[in-house]
Amino acid sequence: MARLLLVDDEKIARNLYGDYLTAAGHLVTAVPGVADAKAALSAERFDAVVTDLILPGGDGMEVLRHVRERYPGVEVVVITGLDKVAPAVRAIKSGAAEYLVKPVAPEALEHALRRALTTRDLMRENASLRQHVALLEAGQRIATTLDRERLSTAAADALESMANASAVMLLERDPSGTGFRSHGMRGLPVDLHEALVPQLIERLSGTRTSLSLDGLQVPWPRTLSFPAMDGDLVLGHAVLFHDSAPAEHHAETVGFLVRNWALALRNMGRFAAVEDLAYVDDLTRLFNTRYLHLVLDREVNEALQTERPFSLLFLDLDRFKAINDTHGHLVGSRVLVEAARVLKGCVRDPDVVARFGGDEYVVLLRGTDSGGALKVAERIRRTMETHQFLGREGLALKLTTCIGVASFPEHAQDKDHLLDLSDRAMYRGKRGTRNVVYMAAQDLEATPAERRQNPPPQQGQGG
């Protein structure tokens, strides 16, 4: 059954078509002119309009344009006594579903209406299917992203476009797990975003359900929040701002996207934990040699393209074996951890500090030439020399270090050669006075063969 609007200035036609269509099971409203048609359309919802082309106070084309502009989804069938091609072409181009020439048998009109409505329903199903496919694809893109920046971009874009949001803000649980931070937005001015972040964090603290947020000083009348859950743990909140009431399936759409966002956040956390196991030294929590080689490959490639220098510092703790022999390996391990902290405190955040093995460390100084690297190495040497290790435990142990310096591209232009030269420079100091910094040179004596063939043990036995 369909709700139909019949527009025809001839009473006989209105009665004929109206009675037949009513008998066929449709609800029919019949009016004589354009003004009446517009009034009826504003008062009721119709599935289709049947209009004569020639009407008092206008014509059927005006009715067709009015329906197309204001009532999408309502089909229009045009009937006329004009047996000409031009009006038919004009009507079809303007969006008419059918064009029938009088005399029109009631059966033919009813058949045309059914065909138009069936086509409309198929188009709606196709559009719905396309929307569902697009939603599934968006969810898949979000769920399979393991890069935090790309994830926030994909999630915010999908929520903005597929939920028809005017603006979006994503709040993620911060690494400490004690609160939330903003990580991704769309459509928010920077000053408004900065003002909203603390308000939303306070409002959503402890919230595990979707909320309608009132009282915010924003230019949109509707603000909704949706939690991203992993079991009982809230991983984040998606906050959506709307100009008007959300569409019929808004909650389902947003819920699906937010569930995939939560899945990605959970996977990202697990991936980070696996990466931590793969690339971080168990004892010192510095990066390990596996990560060092990975980052050195990247740094060399980037430096070759940008011609930006970088440097390596190769460090070995002097006479560390004596600490192990005197105080035991547990104390030795704590000294290695404290040495790592001291070393980290002497370099910048972008620089990479790795435990090479045993009592050896390697520092990658990004964007630093040999002159700058020499200054950093000397700062590390002096800091190590004056530091009292395990002073809080009453031991106040003293340590010094030998440091070898090699720079790209000054001393070498590949990873292995650069590591070897920095190692040779460090070893030159070990064979001399110790507690010294040496710059790489091509004529430095090679390190012992067994040192190059066998990686240092994890518990340092350095001399």
Side-chain angles (χ1 to χ4, degrees), residues 252-269:
E252 291 85 349
T253 298
V254 176
F256 176 79
L257 293 173
V258 169
R259 285 194 298 274
N260 280 275
W261 180 45
L263 178 62
L265 290 173
R266 183 185 69 180
N267 290 342
M268 193 180 300

Side-chain angles (χ1 to χ4, degrees), residues 7-14 31-33 52 54-56 102:
V7 189
D8 199 309
D9 60 330
E10 296 181 4
K11 186 175 181 180
I12 294 176
R14 292 201 303 271
V31 297
D52 193 3
I54 300 175
L55 296 168
K102 293 180 179 180

Side-chain angles (χ1 to χ4, degrees), residues 20-32:
Y20 186 87
L21 293 172
T22 300
H26 303 295
L27 295 176
V28 180
T29 299
V31 297

